[in-house]
Amino acid sequence: MMTLTAQLRRSITEDWRSCFESLGVYKPMWLGRRVGPFFQGVCLERSSGSTSYIPTSHLHCLCRDFPVVSLTLGQRLLSPRSGSEERILVQFHETHFEDAARRLTAASLLPLDRPWGLSNLISAVQMYQTLGRPDSRYPIFPFEDVVMAAIWLGEHDQARSAIAEYRETIAGWPENVTARFGGNVAWESKLRQLIDNPKALRDLADANAERLKVRSLPRIEMLA
């Protein structure tokens, strides 16, 4: 069975890049762009045996200190027949990637081919919570992303409103879950402190863009 060599990884990456004019190559098997304080990407996740890959659209907030690019709001390519995750065998890549790219674009919670803004992000987070997956049950990172995006845009009233709304949701989560991020009170306090110092948030995003080596990617402004 055909496996992913270095040459094939580069070739497959370029094929996918040709389907997304607004995205650049972040690294082999990974495309992306910067949208305001976010890295938005398409990761072609390799199987353990490197015989297949699964396309995944995702978001990563550069305002958050994290050692790698995360797959927040991750949406893997799904089979139109069964609804299950769909892997693309390397040997059939050429006959499948264009259709896969179209379907991934159509299903993405956030547009991959045009600008989007805070209202789109809020809707995407709401939709994400309905997916019924283990990783969407307690979406603390997406909640924080909405708040930090609002602060980035200078929409401080919107940030406060989001904190209040999400605080009510988090109050219904199990204690062992909320303990992972210090509990409701500490979580709310941390975010409210960000509202008081938006420049620090922007500086952190710039520093993380440099550290994660995403500065050279295409960049568009985030809409209010």
Side-chain angles (χ1 to χ4, degrees), residues 57-68:
S57 63
H58 71 93
L59 197 68
H60 172 79
C61 187
L62 295 167
C63 297
R64 178 183 295 106
D65 264 331
F66 204 68
V68 295

Side-chain angles (χ1 to χ4, degrees), residues 57-132:
S57 63
H58 71 93
L59 197 68
H60 172 79
C61 187
L62 295 167
C63 297
R64 178 183 295 106
D65 264 331
F66 204 68
V68 295
V69 171
S70 62
L71 302 185
T72 304
L73 295 184
Q75 281 184 282
R76 290 182 166 181
L77 180 70
L78 300 180
S79 166
R81 293 183 178 180
S82 66
S84 59
E85 295 177 357
E86 181 178 341
R87 290 190 175 275
I88 299 176
L89 290 172
V90 176
Q91 64 195 82
F92 298 129
H93 159 78
E94 290 190 5
T95 57
H96 285 76
F97 81 90
E98 290 181 320
D99 176 65
R102 283 192 293 268
R103 288 191 283 122
L104 191 72
T105 299
S108 180
L109 290 171
L110 287 167
L112 291 164
D113 54 357
R114 62 185 186 277
W116 49 266
L118 183 59
S119 62
N120 304 105
L121 179 61
I122 292 171
S123 296
V125 172
Q126 291 173 339
M127 288 283 292
Y128 185 69
Q129 294 177 80
T130 69
L131 296 180

Side-chain angles (χ1 to χ4, degrees), residues 9 30 36 40 49 59 64 76 113 128 139 147 159 161 178 196 200 219:
R9 289 199 299 271
W30 207 335
Q40 181 184 27
L59 197 68
R64 178 183 295 106
R76 290 182 166 181
D113 54 357
Y128 185 69
V147 174
S161 176
T178 59
D196 295 333
R219 182 176 184 177

Side-chain angles (χ1 to χ4, degrees), residues 3-92:
T3 59
L4 283 165
T5 62
Q7 182 177 352
L8 274 174
R9 289 199 299 271
R10 289 192 295 270
S11 176
I12 288 173
T13 303
E14 184 56 33
D15 284 342
W16 274 82
R17 191 208 59 78
S18 70
C19 296
F20 295 96
E21 293 183 359
S22 64
L23 305 185
V25 176
Y26 174 47
K27 58 178 64 176
M29 305 295 283
W30 207 335
L31 308 175
R33 65 175 178 175
R34 291 176 66 187
V35 183
F38 294 98
F39 171 99
Q40 181 184 27
V42 171
C43 180
L44 308 176
E45 298 181 82
R46 291 180 287 169
S47 64
S48 58
S50 290
T51 58
S52 65
Y53 65 90
I54 182 167
T56 303
S57 63
H58 71 93
L59 197 68
H60 172 79
C61 187
L62 295 167
C63 297
R64 178 183 295 106
D65 264 331
F66 204 68
V68 295
V69 171
S70 62
L71 302 185
T72 304
L73 295 184
Q75 281 184 282
R76 290 182 166 181
L77 180 70
L78 300 180
S79 166
R81 293 183 178 180
S82 66
S84 59
E85 295 177 357
E86 181 178 341
R87 290 190 175 275
I88 299 176
L89 290 172
V90 176
Q91 64 195 82
F92 298 129

Side-chain angles (χ1 to χ4, degrees), residues 111-160:
L112 291 164
D113 54 357
R114 62 185 186 277
W116 49 266
L118 183 59
S119 62
N120 304 105
L121 179 61
I122 292 171
S123 296
V125 172
Q126 291 173 339
M127 288 283 292
Y128 185 69
Q129 294 177 80
T130 69
L131 296 180
R133 301 186 328 219
D135 62 338
S136 66
R137 290 182 65 190
Y138 308 117
I140 192 65
F141 276 8
F143 286 177
E144 292 177 355
D145 288 353
V146 169
V147 174
M148 290 190 286
I151 297 170
W152 170 276
L153 291 167
E155 301 288 343
H156 294 173
D157 287 343
Q158 180 68 66
R160 294 185 184 95

